[in-house]
Amino acid sequence: MTDDLPEIHTKPVPLYAKLKQAIIEKIYTGEWKPHDRVPSEAELVKQFNCSRMTANRALRELTAEGFLFRLQGVGSFVSEPKGQSALFEIHSIADEIAARANQHRCKVLKLSEVSANMTQAAEFSIAVGAPLYHSIIIHYENDVPVQIEDRYVNVQAAPAYLKQDFGRQTAHDYLSQVAPLTEGEHVVEAIAGDARSCRLLQIDVNTPCLLISRRTWSKKFIVSSARLLFPGHRYKLKGRFSS
């Protein structure tokens, strides 16, 4: 299918990328906490037997991606997580659309098993190469595309995921049944839509979009990691809070 995204890379992983992943794993697992100082370039060179240029590139890219922040003359430190909140309720998009008295439908672009790369392995606390389920689904409100749902699912949490008809029941609703939600994590970002995403959402390239990166747990089991992309002018984020 032309809209499928490639999952398995045959080229060798460059050393700077391996170094980045090693740092990301320490952050995801909590070994390195926000504001902890990470090893210097010289320390990374010695630890990973790499060049100073490789260590510099890894730290520079992780800083640009928001994992680290750097203080000149002091070093690099783990950043605070961006936009995370346990106060947002998690609802099915089909229910949200129905609550507005509108019609929901969806189109499944991808539903398959993939092998976890290094980032996904760290995110799910599984081995590199372990199986994950991957779905890409476009959600429509009154035939207007309002969300791209790009989701990875823990095989052990939902072994029958690939057999589901998500035109009849959303992935969110299915996962809520087989692995009831006990904890959720949100990262909310404003981004410019890329060419492929904008084509799927039927909007102009670089239109402002809202990206919600969401992980969910069932007890201490990571169930799902999803990237939910909305056109900015078709969606607003609403939260209700209480003390």
Side-chain angles (χ1 to χ4, degrees):
M1 185 178 294
T2 57
D3 284 318
D4 283 357
L5 300 179
E7 291 302 321
I8 300 175
H9 301 279
T10 57
K11 294 181 179 179
V13 178
L15 186 55
Y16 81 88
K18 293 181 179 179
L19 179 52
K20 285 176 62 179
Q21 185 55 39
I23 295 172
I24 290 171
E25 287 179 4
K26 291 182 182 295
I27 294 171
Y28 273 137
T29 59
E31 183 176 343
W32 292 356
K33 296 176 173 56
H35 301 288
D36 281 355
R37 183 182 178 278
V38 305
S40 66
E41 289 181 11
E43 291 168 330
L44 291 173
V45 166
K46 183 180 297 185
Q47 183 177 348
F48 288 89
N49 192 27
C50 64
S51 68
R52 189 78 177 241
M53 183 180 298
T54 296
N56 177 270
R57 178 172 179 176
L59 292 176
R60 181 161 35 87
E61 291 192 5
L62 287 170
T63 300
E65 293 165 7
F67 289 100
L68 306 177
F69 66 94
R70 305 185 80 172
L71 297 178
Q72 189 170 2
V74 181
S76 298
F77 300 82
V78 177
S79 297
E80 286 279 357
K82 292 197 300 179
Q84 294 182 5
S85 174
L87 296 176
F88 287 116
E89 296 180 356
I90 298 178
H91 298 290
S92 165
I93 187 170
D95 292 341
E96 292 178 359
I97 291 172
R100 295 191 287 268
N102 291 329
Q103 297 295 315
H104 168 267
R105 71 175 179 87
C106 72
K107 179 181 179 182
V108 178
L109 300 183
K110 182 172 186 177
L111 186 60
S112 64
E113 181 178 307
V114 299
S115 298
N117 61 27
M118 289 189 293
T119 300
Q120 293 156 357
E123 194 169 19
F124 279 86
S125 298
I126 58 177
V128 173
L132 286 172
Y133 294 144
H134 184 203
S135 59
I136 302 176
I137 301 172
I138 311 298
H139 294 276
Y140 297 80
E141 183 169 356
N142 292 345
D143 290 327
V144 176
V146 292
Q147 184 195 89
I148 300 174
E149 173 192 325
D150 189 344
R151 184 185 298 272
Y152 290 89
V153 174
N154 190 321
V155 171
Q156 296 182 32
Y161 187 77
L162 297 185
K163 299 178 181 179
Q164 303 310 304
D165 179 359
F166 293 124
R168 297 174 62 87
Q169 180 184 42
T170 65
H172 166 84
D173 287 341
Y174 171 70
L175 292 173
S176 296
Q177 290 178 2
V178 299
L181 174 70
T182 58
E183 184 180 352
E185 170 190 271
H186 296 270
V187 178
V188 182
E189 300 175 278
I191 66 170
D194 60 29
R196 177 182 180 275
S197 298
C198 289
R199 174 171 56 82
L200 293 173
L201 291 171
Q202 299 175 13
I203 56 178
D204 293 334
V205 176
N206 293 324
T207 294
C209 294
L210 180 68
L211 175 65
I212 300 178
S213 300
R214 175 182 294 162
R215 282 198 300 171
T216 56
W217 283 257
S218 185
K219 297 182 179 178
K220 294 188 177 181
F221 213 145
I222 299 173
V223 174
S224 172
S225 174
R227 288 168 55 87
L228 310 174
L229 185 69
F230 304 82
H233 64 289
R234 296 179 189 158
Y235 187 83
K236 64 180 179 181
L237 190 61
K238 180 180 179 181
R240 183 172 180 175
F241 310 93
S242 61
S243 58

